[in-house]
Amino acid sequence: MDNLKDNDTKTIIKVDDLQTSFFTHKGEVKAVDGVHFDVPAGKTLGIVGESGSGKSITALSIMRLIEAPGRVKGGSITFNGEDLLAKSEAEMRRIRGNKISMIFQEPMTSLNPVYTIGDQIAESYQIHQGLSKKQALEKALGMLELVGIPSPKARLKAYPHELSGGMRQRAMIAIALACNPELLIADEPTTALDVTIQAQILGLVNDLQKDLGMSMLLITHDLGVVAETCDYVAVMYAGKIVEYADVNTLFANPKHPYTVGLLKSLPRHDIDQEELEVIRGMVPRPDDLPNGCRFAPRCPFAREMCVERLPDLEDQGDGNQVRCWIHTDQWDGPEVNVRDDYGYSESTQS
Amino acid sequence: MFIYTVRRLIQTIPVMIGVTLVVFLMMHLIPGDPAQIIAGESANEQQVEQTRERLGLNDPLPVQYGTFVGNAVTGDLGNSIRSGRAVTDEIGARFWVTVELAFYSTLLSIFIGLIAGIVSATRRNSPLDMIIMITALFGLSMPNFWLGLMLIQYFALNIEWLPVSGWGTPQSIILPVITLGTAGAAIIARMTRSSMLEVIHQDYIRTARAKGVKERYVVYKHALRNALIPVVTVVGLQFGVLLGGAVLTETVFAINGLGRLVVEAIGQRDFPIVQGAVLILALMFVFVNFIVDISYRFLNKRIDLD
Ligand SMILES: Nc1ncnc2c1ncn2[C@@H]1O[C@H](COP(=O)(O)OP(=O)(O)OP(=O)(O)O)[C@@H](O)[C@H]1O
Ligand code: SF4
Ligand SMILES: [Mg+2]
């Protein structure tokens, strides 16, 4: 019993002050700049943020798959108590696709066009479990059944181009889950799919996660997906986490102006919307970041102190961690209630 | 795959008709009287008339074409003006010499080109990559015959390791094959490199790495097979070019191949030989293209023509 409890609260992966940069001829591009989070065993952490905020680079850093000219520059990534950044390439290979798996955004291009679906799933078993091709293909068949691909026997011999986007993403999931990983990183697994297919794939991933007892890192720019899937949420902006909370707290009591802005831009069913609101302005380019708060150029509450100094990610005592001057003692402006003053809460009252 | 092969085979029929038609018309399109040409310049009126009668040149063109194709199918391409021997006999042996030369040269260029291209791509921007690419540029811009002469000068005359000329013994084929294969190796190396570099950044390569595939297999299993798809076309084209373009190499090494035969025949106005050689080369080209398409299709599962 004690053991079980222990497992319940165990942290599967802990990312601490992760810094990943690309060293281009124009200078250093800080794609991920001091990111912290952890994923409790069996839980799902969502990472949300607009395009270019560094979500994929965070995921690829965990996999140690950052390609030149990029490099993990600092911080630590602890998986099951072991420091991934200290592992050799050979040790990492034994972890990839085995203990930590990843599925990608683009099902159309993420499968190798010249090998059959069966071969591509079987490869995982051949690599990590040393199975023969025949045994591996049998197991691959089981995976195709598990991910709900119709007539799996025939699909085993199909090439990727013979499958629809949704079916390919199921095949990708089969590859990722083949060796029963402890952590699944899903990088916008449904973004490229039709809405109805999106719901199916998301449902599938959710069910499998529960059945297999995996932990999951779900990357998305869709807060709707987060609400349906995640236990915890990290909101990422320009290479940094700006808010971290459990999912209920985040939706009930969002604190960072950026989070509130994102929530406002969600399509809603309970009220009539003339048009979706979007946060004005654009994500700053990582090679040209503001010195102070990175959201300052777009933030309706920004003051001089925001432009000058970068706030820390501070614990709010109620499960929230927020990186914003408003939520500190040092805030030198008038009292603001971010939700009300941003015009979020009126529209959310039910 | 089988259906595709058959369909592709059927598709070659119109091409072959076109080829035979053009070759047939060559005779009628060159200035002068075909009968006079075939009978030879020194033939008198009566001989020319006899030739015209014998070759059926008084028949309407379509009938003549029918006869031409009919004869060609049964291996009758007429007789050489110089020797009087059957064109097929004259061409036969020499044709195989040229095919052999082109074949070994292509093999060499594939072997060297692929290795150099892969090494270059996997060690992109390293000194080795630069050395390979500069060498390839040299290989590409060096005239064939000049390379042949240099090789003869060094390996045959200076250190006397290999024979100056001829064809048939293993030693004698080395220099001509290097001479002819170098440019192709350079083209294939460059093509393989750029194709590999393109493929290595594809999403499915990242998928393979995320699966825990060893880098060696990422390159040779996941990337190479995709990267080879465009290279196959180049290889086929290369072989075709070598077939028709070995003349200089054959001349430098005094190899009795088809290229030299054609050049001689043109010089001697031995028209049936020229016609026969062009026909054989063109058909060979069609055949090589057919093989290229089949292997292309075999490598690239995305083409669905069945
Ligand atoms: N190869 C590279 N060279 C230079 N900069 C890069 C490179 N790859 C990524 N970056 C930078 O890192 C930043 C973060 O990229 P990332 O792919 O993590 O964004 P993301 O949050 O996943 O966005 P999206 O929602 O579009 O997938 C990008 O804005 C980009 O400028
Ligand atoms: S720190 Fe200032 S600029 Fe940044 S989010 Fe808070 S109020 Fe806006
Ligand atoms: Mg991304």
Side-chain angles (χ1 to χ4, degrees):
Chain A
M1 223 38 225
D2 260 10
N3 241 339
L4 251 181
K5 247 208 166 117
D6 228 36
N7 269 342
D8 271 354
T9 54
K10 202 178 103 183
T11 297
I12 193 88
I13 190 156
K14 184 174 174 57
V15 172
D16 205 8
D17 194 28
L18 178 68
Q19 297 166 32
T20 303
S21 291
F22 290 85
F23 297 89
T24 67
H25 55 274
K26 275 186 268 161
E28 180 182 352
V29 176
K30 296 181 173 179
V32 175
D33 189 13
V35 160
H36 303 257
F37 60 78
D38 45 44
V39 185
K43 301 287 184 201
T44 300
L45 169 71
I47 301 186
V48 237
E50 283 165 287
S51 192
S53 51
K55 306 181 298 291
S56 297
I57 300 303
T58 303
L60 290 171
S61 301
I62 295 173
M63 296 293 282
R64 292 258 315 268
L65 285 175
I66 297 291
E67 284 176 53
R71 184 158 58 79
V72 177
K73 205 176 66 165
S76 70
I77 300 170
T78 317
F79 175 70
N80 270 339
E82 294 177 55
D83 183 4
L84 289 188
L85 295 181
K87 298 238 177 256
S88 71
E89 181 52 31
E91 288 170 320
M92 268 322 287
R93 273 202 306 267
R94 283 194 284 277
I95 291 174
R96 289 183 201 128
N98 190 24
K99 303 257 187 272
I100 307 179
S101 282
M102 187 160 174
I103 49 182
F104 301 97
Q105 178 172 350
E106 283 296 333
M108 302 317 268
T109 52
S110 292
L111 291 165
N112 195 328
V114 301
Y115 292 105
T116 61
I117 302 294
D119 283 349
Q120 295 188 54
I121 303 172
E123 194 176 23
S124 292
Y125 293 112
Q126 293 172 288
I127 296 171
H128 297 297
Q129 302 181 358
L131 297 189
S132 71
K133 180 80 179 270
K134 193 162 170 282
Q135 293 168 314
L137 277 174
E138 256 161 47
K139 286 207 148 197
L141 180 63
M143 281 314 295
L144 284 183
E145 278 162 13
L146 186 69
V147 298
I149 291 188
S151 48
K153 256 217 161 76
R155 292 293 176 231
L156 216 49
K157 295 195 194 72
Y159 287 93
H161 75 268
E162 299 171 81
L163 269 58
S164 69
M167 285 302 144
R168 286 189 215 190
Q169 199 59 304
R170 283 174 194 262
M172 269 303 294
I173 294 170
I175 292 176
L177 300 189
C179 295
N180 235 326
E182 291 171 53
L183 176 68
L184 174 68
I185 303 176
D187 188 357
E188 313 207 21
T190 59
T191 308
L193 303 171
D194 293 346
V195 184
T196 47
I197 311 287
Q198 277 188 17
Q200 288 172 12
I201 295 289
L202 216 55
L204 174 73
V205 171
N206 254 333
D207 293 348
L208 290 175
Q209 187 217 355
K210 298 228 163 57
D211 294 349
L212 305 173
M214 285 183 299
S215 312
M216 183 152 88
L217 192 61
L218 179 76
I219 295 173
T220 174
H221 53 242
D222 184 347
L223 275 169
V225 169
V226 170
E228 285 166 40
T229 330
C230 300
D231 301 300
Y232 300 91
V233 195
V235 180
M236 209 168 160
Y237 187 79
K240 283 188 181 295
I241 302 238
V242 295
E243 183 157 6
Y244 180 90
D246 72 74
V247 69
N248 295 328
T249 310
L250 189 98
F251 280 91
N253 193 10
K255 290 217 161 90
H256 196 281
Y258 179 62
T259 313
V260 175
L262 280 183
L263 283 165
K264 264 185 46 158
S265 61
L266 262 187
R268 306 179 57 86
H269 308 294
D270 52 348
I271 52 165
D272 273 345
Q273 277 171 308
E274 287 297 308
E275 58 192 59
L276 276 183
E277 290 189 59
V278 286
I279 308 170
R280 65 188 166 84
M282 287 195 335
V283 185
R285 296 214 324 268
D287 57 348
D288 186 24
L289 292 171
N291 291 322
C293 172
R294 291 181 179 174
F295 189 54
R298 301 168 76 186
C299 179
F301 310 111
R303 298 176 60 79
E304 209 169 310
M305 69 182 302
C306 305
V307 178
E308 279 164 6
R309 288 183 296 146
L310 178 71
D312 287 330
L313 188 65
E314 281 189 25
D315 210 317
Q316 302 295 305
D318 52 359
N320 264 33
Q321 291 175 22
V322 180
R323 185 190 291 281
C324 172
W325 287 122
I326 295 176
H327 302 284
T328 64
D329 311 338
Q330 296 174 54
W331 179 245
D332 61 3
E335 183 94 359
V336 272
N337 180 319
V338 176
R339 283 186 298 149
D340 296 348
D341 298 346
Y342 211 143
Y344 171 65
S345 56
E346 295 96 314
S347 57
T348 47
Q349 296 303 333
S350 44
Chain B
M1 192 70 206
F2 176 73
I3 301 170
Y4 175 75
T5 310
V6 172
R7 273 183 53 165
R8 185 61 187 73
L9 206 54
I10 293 170
Q11 278 170 14
T12 60
I13 292 174
V15 182
M16 293 211 264
I17 293 176
V19 165
T20 49
L21 199 59
V22 169
V23 172
F24 165 72
L25 287 176
M26 270 168 76
M27 189 160 59
H28 294 273
L29 290 177
I30 52 168
D33 176 5
Q36 176 76 59
I37 294 168
I38 289 176
E41 276 154 22
S42 54
N44 60 33
E45 195 76 9
Q46 195 188 352
Q47 284 168 316
V48 171
E49 210 40 57
Q50 275 173 0
T51 308
R52 198 188 307 282
E53 198 53 44
R54 177 167 58 84
L55 296 178
L57 287 175
N58 293 323
D59 296 340
L61 272 186
V63 176
Q64 286 188 44
Y65 173 65
T67 318
F68 172 74
V69 172
N71 287 343
V73 168
T74 58
D76 176 8
L77 290 172
N79 294 320
S80 159
I81 294 172
R82 291 287 133 180
S83 67
R85 291 173 59 204
V87 169
T88 39
D89 289 346
E90 288 274 337
I91 291 176
R94 298 182 142 216
F95 171 70
W96 287 112
V97 169
T98 297
V99 168
E100 249 176 58
L101 177 59
F103 181 75
Y104 289 133
S105 304
T106 307
L107 272 193
L108 181 80
S109 33
I110 293 172
F111 185 72
I112 294 179
L114 278 188
I115 292 179
I118 294 168
V119 168
S120 252
T122 49
R123 298 197 181 49
R124 183 184 188 185
N125 294 338
S126 69
L128 189 58
D129 174 28
M130 280 186 229
I131 291 170
I132 290 175
M133 281 304 114
I134 290 170
T135 314
L137 200 64
F138 269 107
L140 208 60
S141 31
M142 208 161 14
N144 245 331
F145 67 93
W146 183 78
L147 175 63
L149 291 174
M150 297 317 272
L151 289 173
I152 291 176
Q153 177 66 42
Y154 187 70
F155 289 100
L157 300 178
N158 288 9
I159 61 176
E160 300 186 16
W161 279 7
L162 297 165
V164 175
S165 64
W167 184 258
T169 61
Q171 291 92 322
S172 66
I173 71 176
I174 293 176
L175 292 184
V177 163
I178 293 176
T179 305
L180 203 56
T182 297
I187 293 173
I188 291 169
R190 284 157 56 116
M191 187 81 201
T192 305
R193 179 181 185 271
S194 66
S195 181
M196 280 293 276
L197 286 179
E198 199 185 305
V199 167
I200 212 81
H201 288 112
Q202 297 295 312
D203 288 346
Y204 54 80
I205 296 299
R206 194 184 50 195
T207 304
R209 291 199 176 112
K211 239 196 274 186
V213 175
K214 283 202 182 108
E215 194 58 25
R216 198 168 64 233
Y217 292 107
V218 170
V219 172
Y220 291 101
K221 185 176 168 191
H222 288 271
L224 187 59
R225 182 129 178 216
N226 283 285
L228 281 186
I229 294 169
V231 176
V232 168
T233 317
V234 175
V235 169
L237 218 68
Q238 196 58 32
F239 185 65
V241 167
L242 293 191
L243 272 182
V247 181
L248 284 174
T249 309
E250 287 176 2
T251 309
V252 168
F253 290 96
I255 297 168
N256 282 323
L258 196 57
R260 260 182 103 203
L261 178 69
V262 173
V263 172
E264 285 164 17
I266 291 173
Q268 299 168 341
R269 302 182 151 263
D270 195 341
F271 193 77
I273 295 274
V274 177
Q275 199 182 30
V278 169
L279 183 66
I280 297 278
L281 282 176
L283 292 182
M284 193 66 196
F285 217 96
V286 172
F287 175 71
V288 169
N289 265 312
F290 168 73
I291 298 290
V292 166
D293 277 6
I294 298 290
S295 14
Y296 193 85
R297 155 73 212 222
F298 181 75
L299 283 171
N300 191 352
K301 308 297 181 187
R302 275 163 299 189
I303 305 182
D304 227 347
L305 300 173
D306 290 0

